[in-house]
Amino acid sequence: MGHPKGHPGGHPGGDIKQVYHGIKDSADGADQAKRFMMANQLRLVFWETTGGCNLECVHCRRLDISRKLMESDLSTAESKRLIDQIAETGKPILVLSGGEPLIRPDIFELAAYARDAGLTTALATNGTMITRQIAEKIRDAGIQRVSVSLDGATPETHDAFRKLPGSFNRAVEGIKLVQSVGVETQINSTIAKHNVHEVQKLYDNAIALGVEALHIFMLVPVGCRVQLAESAMLDAFTYEKTLNWFYEVSREGKIQTKATCAPHYFRIMRQRAAAEGIEVSPKTHGMAAMTKGCLAGQSICFVSHKGQVFPCGYLPLEVGNVREKSFKEIWETAEPFKKLRDQDNLEGKCGACEFKSVCEGCRARAFFYTQGNYLAEEPFCVYEPPAYQAQKAAQEMGG
């Protein structure tokens, strides 16, 4: 990929880290970051390598069902064909997830194949199966980063969520083993009612463990074979409060931070920066200045263990299957992807919002709460855009 300085008239291309280091000290870094952010370029593919798992988390399928799901996993040959097609489409980061990817016998063969195809690979795991030998295989297969899910800051909270006593300590041990062989680590935490009171400790734990990044995921009550009780959702005001806290700790610069499935964060970041008299740029806000809220179907997509393609893992809108069409054709021609790439299609207050280019609202939550309209306004946002307020006032006066 070309260096951003070599594309003065277009958008920067390449891996976000590479581009970030190339533009962070540039005088026009903010403009280059915006061009990078707005480009509909494939940057992340989340591939559910297997439907099987060794846990029975409350937000996922039961273990006996997951074992049956493994029977429909893409074969090794089908998996390699998918990897080739992804590499033909672009050079995104390929995240090998599950289920639990480490229960797949050929996972390291596939990771090495993706590396040799020119893709950057990451592994998303619950961490409980990592041994010293597994950590070495992760390194030798060329996996660049391992993300481990910790859905609580204490063993009690995490183990209750994961339905396996000792899973917290095993996950922490897995992180340390991966670090010991020189592979980067990251903690993923789903924030919901069961652990929102622990967010500061989650952050402190991540720093103490020496991981490269902490990614928080604001709970989405629906997904590809994932169903959560609405009662677990944070209300909109707690959501807003939590994201404001996350902005504050991100400014400390102690660790890489990323808010996922939390598009409002990118509005909050700009509101807070404006109040501080700071322009959002790679120099002031790191890589967060180079991305935006909902990326579904624009820069990311999700491939299920059966080969189904979705805009993201939480938006259960199948747009094609790699067992029937090439990944490249699906990515480039699927109609829902085209609609998601045009912000003028957003409805309600999202469509009227001055922050829609950096937020866009969560398309999965919109889908869930409207029973299928993925372009509807985000239901968990407290912000009322001035243009939307004016529209409502005009309607009330006219009606």
Side-chain angles (χ1 to χ4, degrees):
M1 290 292 183
H3 192 282
K5 292 179 181 177
H7 296 273
H11 64 79
D15 174 81
I16 188 169
K17 279 188 180 180
Q18 170 196 344
V19 176
Y20 167 71
H21 288 296
I23 71 174
K24 67 175 181 177
D25 295 319
S26 301
D28 65 341
D31 290 337
Q32 291 196 58
K34 185 176 180 180
R35 291 198 299 273
F36 181 89
M37 174 182 68
M38 296 305 295
N40 291 319
Q41 182 177 350
L42 184 64
R43 303 197 190 283
L44 272 169
V45 176
F46 296 90
W47 173 30
E48 180 188 45
T49 59
T50 178
C53 190
N54 63 320
L55 300 185
E56 300 182 47
C57 304
V58 296
H59 69 295
C60 207
R61 83 292 283 176
R62 304 247 342 143
L63 187 58
D64 55 347
I65 298 173
S66 77
R67 283 176 176 151
K68 293 177 182 176
L69 289 170
M70 291 174 65
E71 297 172 5
S72 51
D73 290 349
L74 294 179
S75 68
T76 300
E78 288 174 322
S79 296
K80 289 181 177 179
R81 186 160 59 247
L82 169 63
I83 291 167
D84 287 337
Q85 291 173 359
I86 292 171
E88 179 191 3
T89 308
K91 295 299 179 188
I93 295 171
L94 177 61
V95 181
L96 307 172
S97 71
E100 172 48 58
L102 291 177
I103 72 171
R104 182 162 175 146
D106 60 356
I107 192 65
F108 300 116
E109 177 185 350
L110 296 176
Y113 189 85
R115 174 200 61 203
D116 294 345
L119 298 176
T120 299
T121 57
L123 181 76
T125 172
N126 61 46
T128 62
M129 296 180 66
I130 298 175
T131 62
R132 175 76 188 190
Q133 183 181 29
I134 292 293
E136 290 172 350
K137 287 183 177 181
I138 288 170
R139 177 199 61 205
D140 295 345
I143 292 168
Q144 297 295 301
R145 179 176 288 192
V146 174
S147 66
V148 175
S149 298
L150 286 179
D151 294 313
T154 64
E156 293 76 18
T157 305
H158 176 87
D159 292 0
F161 189 79
R162 293 278 162 175
K163 298 294 184 183
L164 179 67
S167 57
F168 179 88
N169 290 333
R170 286 166 62 181
V172 169
E173 180 61 22
I175 290 171
K176 292 177 179 178
L177 286 167
V178 170
Q179 291 172 333
S180 73
V181 298
V183 177
E184 288 187 358
T185 54
Q186 160 185 321
I187 290 175
N188 291 347
S189 294
T190 297
I191 308 300
K193 283 186 177 178
H194 77 284
N195 66 358
V196 69
H197 61 288
E198 296 183 342
V199 289
Q200 183 64 44
K201 188 167 175 55
L202 278 167
Y203 171 70
D204 293 340
N205 285 351
I207 293 171
L209 278 168
V211 299
E212 273 71 27
L214 171 64
H215 289 203
I216 63 167
F217 293 70
M218 304 308 286
L219 182 62
V220 180
V222 68
C224 305
R225 293 181 295 95
V226 177
Q227 189 73 38
L228 269 162
E230 287 186 67
S231 60
M233 292 285 292
L234 300 178
D235 63 80
F237 291 96
T238 305
Y239 192 160
E240 190 89 354
K241 180 181 177 182
T242 304
L243 292 179
N244 270 280
W245 163 82
F246 199 62
Y247 175 80
E248 289 162 9
V249 297
S250 76
R251 298 290 286 148
E252 295 177 2
K254 294 179 180 178
I255 191 174
Q256 294 173 24
T257 55
K258 188 170 187 291
T260 303
C261 299
H264 321 355
Y265 178 78
F266 297 90
R267 162 182 56 82
I268 289 168
M269 180 173 73
R270 283 162 177 81
Q271 289 174 316
R272 295 287 298 269
E276 296 164 7
I278 302 170
E279 180 184 30
V280 171
S281 72
K283 190 171 185 177
T284 59
H285 291 78
M287 284 186 281
M290 300 175 60
T291 188
K292 57 183 177 178
C294 188
L295 299 169
Q298 300 175 57
S299 298
I300 72 167
C301 70
F302 175 89
V303 182
S304 82
H305 72 112
K306 297 180 180 180
Q308 303 152 294
V309 180
F310 300 87
C312 79
Y314 296 99
L315 179 47
L317 179 71
E318 184 177 346
V319 300
N321 193 306
V322 297
R323 281 175 162 153
E324 300 165 2
K325 290 183 180 179
S326 76
F327 176 86
K328 190 174 193 294
E329 180 182 358
I330 294 169
W331 175 256
E332 293 179 350
T333 66
E335 196 60 32
F337 283 178
K338 292 180 181 179
K339 290 181 178 178
L340 287 164
R341 292 166 189 169
D342 184 352
Q343 294 155 359
D344 290 338
N345 289 324
L346 297 177
E347 300 172 7
K349 68 178 183 179
C350 283
C353 187
E354 70 272 29
F355 293 104
K356 69 179 180 181
S357 66
V358 296
C359 172
E360 302 195 25
C362 176
R363 299 300 97 218
R365 277 189 287 267
F367 180 94
F368 179 74
Y369 285 98
T370 61
Q371 288 76 55
N373 183 5
Y374 58 92
L375 297 171
E377 68 180 47
E378 156 75 61
F380 279 77
C381 180
V382 300
Y383 183 66
E384 291 248 323
Y388 185 69
Q389 293 179 34
Q391 287 176 12
K392 287 202 303 182
Q395 289 170 359
E396 288 169 3
M397 290 180 65

